Amino acid sequence: MEMGTAMSDAQQATESEPDAKQKAKAFARSRRGPILGAIFLMATSAIGPGFITQTATFTATLGAAFAFAILVSVLIDFAVQMNIWRMITVSGKRAGDLANDAVPYSGHVLAVLIVIGGLAFNIGNIAGGGLGLNALLGIDPKIGGLLTGLLAIGIFLFKKAGRAVDLTVMVLGLGMILMTVVVAIASAPPVGEALRQTFVPDTINFATITTIVGGTVGGYITYAGAHRYLESGLTGTDHIKGVHRASMQGILVTGIMRYVLFLAILGVVASGVALDVSGQAANPAAQAFGVVLGDAGIRIFGFIFWAAALTSVIGAAYTSATFLSVFSKRLAGGWPLQLATVAFILVSLLVFALIGTAPAALLVFVGGFNGLILPIGLSIFMYIGWFRQRDVLGGYRYPKWLLIVGTIATLLSFWMGANSIGPIFAFLGMGA
């Protein structure tokens, strides 16, 4: 009897091994979507219509010297994202809750700033969607912005919203990259001069650097990928290598895209073409694409710009809504989070419909505005990394080299922000 039981147990164990392997593979596949979604949500949020417009505007005014600003933005991006992704993954908590654990109510303050900055970003993103559809299909920018916002709402109301968001940002993100590479090659930029000024610029403009940093890593963008990565369920110290790899891949994608877009615009500017960057209907990036490929270039730009806008609307709304859970745990996930995200987009649409600022000026301004918010959140996380490893991070021994580069990025962003407030508001016509 005992032998029969033993044989039965052994047989069940043998039979369960393939099942266990299949379950492990199925689990890995189910996690792959959110991880790729996190990488592309971070990347497409960082390469939104604001960044595209900023790149065209500043390349037109600074020429090859703008390459230095891109280099600084990538370095700060590295310091910020590597720290934020790691701390959020180790703790298994969203940024607002993690901040509250370290400094009571600091998460609430951070949430308010992110929501305000995210709203400013999203108004600009919706405006960018309008500009993109105008270039692609000739639709009135206001109507195009409305359609972009409504499509984003439809994606979030879809039954399997998480999967729909991941698929949307991945497909549109890859399309943006491929089309921009084509235009960059066709514009024949002075690559040697660009490489030289990447490290030894002829001129340095700190308002420009603060704006481009804010437009690519400031505000909600800082936390977009990390918050989406949390939903993979791969949290805790056992998954440090995975989050390190994912954040590096996201930074690599954004860095390449930024530089390729810059080269595409630089080729046009270096040829002697003057881009309009200040008119009410100014769309400098569209002009540059049109110079390179004519009407087809404008259509390609329209798709790129609209794709960047839609994915950024999704990223801004989702990430801003995830911060609302510090005020009510009911908003932590599920339908309440989806409805909060939809409400955020609706408010953005309403403000966009009422605001009278030129879209291009608005897109440049919101980057600078979020660049001013960036150092506040970074300060909280650097405090956690230096002084609260035992309790807030569960005793995890945080790499000092990451804390050092993160602290340098924090101090640099504070210094640049203090020297750039006036010029940043001047982008919107609100300051001197």
Side-chain angles (χ1 to χ4, degrees):
M1 186 75 172
E2 292 179 0
M3 183 179 293
T5 303
M7 289 178 65
S8 177
D9 291 343
Q11 186 177 5
Q12 288 178 2
T14 302
E15 290 176 351
S16 66
E17 285 179 8
D19 292 338
K21 290 181 179 178
Q22 289 177 357
K23 288 180 180 179
K25 290 181 179 179
F27 177 78
R29 283 196 299 269
S30 69
R31 300 302 91 188
R32 194 176 300 145
I35 292 172
L36 288 173
I39 292 170
F40 275 90
L41 189 65
M42 167 190 165
T44 53
S45 294
I47 312 168
F51 173 75
I52 294 173
T53 303
Q54 292 156 18
T55 298
T57 300
F58 296 138
T59 303
T61 55
L62 297 176
F66 182 59
F68 178 73
I70 293 179
L71 174 63
V72 173
S73 76
V74 172
L75 293 176
I76 292 178
D77 197 6
F78 173 83
V80 172
Q81 296 291 1
M82 293 296 286
N83 277 291
I84 297 298
W85 280 57
R86 184 173 293 240
M87 288 190 196
I88 287 178
T89 302
V90 167
S91 66
K93 296 179 179 180
R94 289 174 177 161
D97 296 321
L98 187 56
N100 275 340
D101 286 348
V103 182
Y105 298 106
S106 64
H108 291 75
V109 174
L110 183 60
V112 170
L113 290 174
I114 295 299
V115 169
I116 293 174
L119 183 63
F121 247 126
N122 232 23
I123 296 166
N125 291 333
I126 291 171
L131 289 174
L133 287 180
N134 175 258
L136 179 63
L137 302 173
I139 296 175
D140 180 271
K142 285 281 185 182
I143 296 175
L146 177 64
L147 292 174
T148 301
L150 291 177
L151 178 57
I153 289 173
I155 291 172
F156 276 106
L157 290 178
F158 185 63
K159 187 176 181 180
K160 296 181 179 179
R163 189 176 300 176
V165 168
D166 293 338
L167 185 61
T168 299
V169 297
M170 282 189 280
V171 171
L172 293 180
L174 289 172
M176 289 161 54
I177 294 172
L178 291 174
M179 288 189 174
T180 306
V181 168
V182 170
V183 177
I185 294 172
S187 70
V191 177
E193 179 65 10
L195 288 174
R196 181 186 72 82
Q197 297 217 44
T198 299
F199 304 99
V200 188
D202 291 343
T203 182
I204 298 176
N205 185 310
F206 289 109
T208 296
I209 296 174
T210 303
T211 298
I212 205 69
V213 167
T216 56
V217 71
Y220 82 92
I221 299 173
T222 307
Y223 312 97
H227 277 196
R228 184 71 186 108
Y229 191 88
L230 273 184
E231 296 186 21
S232 71
L234 304 178
T235 60
T237 55
D238 292 340
H239 299 287
I240 289 298
K241 288 185 178 180
V243 76
H244 177 86
R245 183 168 56 251
S247 56
M248 281 296 294
Q249 289 170 345
I251 294 167
L252 181 63
V253 170
T254 56
I256 291 174
M257 181 63 177
R258 289 175 202 176
Y259 209 80
V260 169
L261 178 65
F262 157 70
L263 289 176
I265 306 295
L266 180 64
V268 175
V269 173
S271 69
V273 175
L275 301 179
D276 177 16
V277 298
S278 59
Q280 178 69 19
N283 195 338
Q287 298 167 43
F289 278 59
V291 169
V292 176
L293 296 176
D295 184 65
I298 293 177
R299 305 298 176 190
I300 290 174
F301 161 80
F303 171 80
I304 292 173
F305 210 66
W306 175 76
L310 178 61
T311 52
S312 293
V313 168
I314 290 171
Y318 165 78
T319 308
S320 299
T322 59
F323 274 88
L324 297 178
S325 62
V326 299
F327 300 103
S328 174
K329 296 304 177 186
R330 293 180 179 179
L331 300 174
W335 272 106
L337 177 59
Q338 284 180 255
L339 292 177
T341 305
V342 168
F344 190 88
I345 298 174
L346 286 173
V347 172
S348 304
L349 275 173
L350 178 62
V351 177
F352 165 71
L354 298 174
I355 201 165
T357 305
L362 181 63
L363 288 168
V364 174
F365 166 74
V366 293
F369 180 75
N370 279 279
L372 300 177
I373 293 176
L374 174 64
I376 298 173
L378 276 180
S379 297
I380 298 172
F381 278 83
M382 287 304 97
Y383 166 71
I384 293 173
W386 281 111
F387 304 108
R388 302 297 297 274
Q389 293 180 29
R390 282 189 179 181
D391 52 350
V392 177
L393 295 182
Y396 171 65
R397 295 186 64 181
Y398 205 87
K400 283 193 175 180
W401 70 271
L402 264 182
L403 290 175
I404 291 171
V405 297
T407 301
I408 292 173
T410 303
L411 295 174
L412 183 61
S413 59
F414 263 118
W415 185 79
M416 289 191 305
N419 285 277
S420 307
I421 293 177
I424 285 171
F425 277 88
F427 288 140
L428 197 58
M430 297 174 62

